[in-house]
Amino acid sequence: MLHKIDVPDEKGIWYNQHLKVSPSTIEEMADYAKRHNCRFVSLDEMEEAIRKKKNVRRWIAVTLDDGYQDNYLNGAPVFRKCGIPFTIYVCTKMVKKEMLYWWEILEQLVLSNNEVILNDGRFFDCSTKELKEKAFLDIREVILKLPQNSLLDSMKAIFANYEIDYNYGNNILGLSWEEIRELSKEPLCTIGNHSYSHNSFTGCTDEMIIRDIRQAAEEMKEKASIEMTHFAFPFGEATAVSKHDIDLIKRLGFKTSATTNEDFICYGTDVLELPRFFVTEKTWKKVIDQIIANC
Ligand SMILES: [Zn+2]
């Protein structure tokens, strides 16, 4: 599981920057994995191997979550160069430039201030790089506890002391429909469903979840003529994915769905609960070594 294909900014907040893996690292990883008899396959090949209980070893399917524009600008060229099939799970709210990139906004806020004071007086020291990293994580916790369905208003309230561009990121971070159309012509690329809103399923009714996933499917079909058959749950921890959620995805007819549970695919793995390893600039070798040692 990857997110952004870009060079991490050392001056930035690590919690955000670790979503970036640079193109040169992708090349290094591909060389290393291939030298150790790993094979990069598409999600369709992986699904077929699981379904038919094929005896294969060290297969790797590369996936990228969310649909960042750098996947097109930096990712596709390096995956093409290395001959690696890749799946981008697109959140269509990002493509429509309607996203509230609160984690990016928060990074800018702690980087550009020596202290952050919330409207209720809570104070976060941001005077050093180390304290900025801590303030980011502490304020992140505050934001995660805000009502997610009215997040913009809640953020405007707690950050009333600051002038913030809440539209930040919408014109620079997400893929465009044009780029998705181009990517879909790429034989190595698969476009998957990552919901419209990227909201957590927690606290949503089945109807709300289904509407959100179908909205993404319809928008993708209308704007890019793509039928998405693979799904990735749009939120963090594996514990957040319940049996009920899996059943719901099954009802919607997806071929596979991916979680963020860190594990290997093995005999008997449910195609609707594909585990994935989070790969960062610093951890890629550990992940590949684990595959070599276990698969
Ligand atoms: Zn995501």
Side-chain angles (χ1 to χ4, degrees):
M1 174 177 62
L2 301 160
H3 290 81
K4 296 179 175 180
I5 304 299
D6 205 351
V7 182
D9 179 359
E10 285 188 10
K11 292 197 191 96
I13 298 296
W14 173 242
Y15 195 88
N16 277 355
Q17 298 301 321
H18 86 317
L19 293 174
K20 295 179 186 167
V21 176
S22 59
S24 59
T25 300
I26 297 288
E27 268 190 75
E28 208 184 330
M29 179 176 69
D31 283 350
Y32 184 77
K34 286 176 188 170
R35 262 190 282 125
H36 290 88
N37 302 316
C38 295
R39 196 179 143 202
F40 290 94
V41 299
S42 69
L43 262 187
D44 281 327
E45 284 175 279
M46 188 68 95
E47 186 270 338
E48 199 196 334
I50 298 170
R51 188 164 34 85
K52 295 187 174 168
K53 299 192 176 354
K54 283 188 184 170
N55 188 11
V56 298
R57 294 180 67 208
R58 297 186 184 173
W59 275 23
I60 300 172
V62 170
T63 63
L64 302 103
D65 280 16
D66 304 333
Y68 287 100
Q69 191 181 41
D70 55 37
N71 295 185
Y72 169 83
L73 297 174
N74 311 327
V78 73
F79 292 129
R80 205 180 297 127
K81 187 174 172 193
C82 301
I84 297 179
F86 59 104
T87 298
I88 304 176
Y89 293 114
V90 175
C91 161
T92 53
K93 193 173 186 177
M94 273 172 60
V95 191
K96 293 172 79 185
K97 306 185 191 300
E98 293 168 352
M99 199 67 178
L100 174 58
Y101 291 94
W102 61 262
W103 57 98
E104 302 275 350
I105 291 167
L106 180 57
E107 182 175 12
Q108 301 300 325
L109 188 71
V110 299
L111 288 178
S112 59
N113 288 281
N114 283 325
E115 56 181 39
V116 171
I117 304 170
L118 304 187
N119 69 324
D120 61 5
R122 270 179 288 178
F123 172 91
F124 300 88
D125 190 345
C126 303
S127 56
T128 66
K129 178 72 199 312
E130 217 180 1
L131 287 166
K132 286 180 193 295
E133 295 278 354
K134 185 181 181 318
F136 178 91
L137 293 175
D138 290 344
I139 303 172
R140 177 180 178 271
E141 286 305 312
V142 173
I143 293 174
L144 288 175
K145 287 195 187 100
L146 295 172
Q148 298 296 302
N149 52 2
S150 56
L151 193 56
L152 178 59
D153 289 337
S154 308
M155 279 184 64
K156 281 181 179 169
I158 66 166
F159 296 125
N161 303 331
Y162 301 89
E163 228 173 79
I164 290 172
D165 171 15
Y166 287 96
N167 194 37
Y168 177 81
N170 273 313
N171 291 318
I172 49 171
L173 291 173
L175 286 164
S176 69
W177 291 119
E178 184 55 42
E179 286 157 350
I180 291 172
R181 281 193 288 270
E182 232 183 275
L183 280 167
S184 72
K185 290 179 200 143
E186 168 81 58
L188 291 171
C189 180
T190 302
I191 301 291
N193 192 323
H194 200 38
S195 85
Y196 158 74
S197 71
H198 205 283
N199 285 348
S200 166
F201 285 10
T202 316
C204 292
T205 62
D206 285 3
E207 202 180 43
M208 287 157 77
I209 297 167
I210 291 170
R211 202 187 313 132
D212 202 67
I213 297 170
R214 283 208 174 125
Q215 182 180 339
E218 281 160 18
E219 287 167 347
M220 189 59 78
K221 198 171 170 200
E222 192 198 316
K223 298 284 186 183
S225 310
I226 299 170
E227 300 263 11
M228 298 183 288
T229 56
H230 300 278
F231 181 77
F233 288 95
F235 45 86
E237 299 82 57
T239 48
V241 179
S242 67
K243 194 82 206 107
H244 182 82
D245 297 335
I246 305 279
D247 285 343
L248 212 140
I249 295 305
K250 192 174 192 169
R251 269 178 22 220
L252 288 170
F254 286 104
K255 259 165 108 172
T256 71
S257 61
T259 69
T260 55
N261 185 23
E262 300 217 348
D263 206 348
F264 307 101
I265 290 172
C266 53
Y267 192 82
T269 294
D270 186 347
V271 288
L272 293 176
E273 220 172 327
L274 293 179
R276 292 187 294 167
F277 285 100
F278 188 174
V279 172
T280 72
E281 192 83 4
K282 291 180 186 172
T283 61
W284 70 266
K285 195 162 178 293
K286 205 177 120 201
V287 173
I288 303 293
D289 281 340
Q290 272 182 277
I291 293 170
I292 295 164
N294 291 281
C295 302

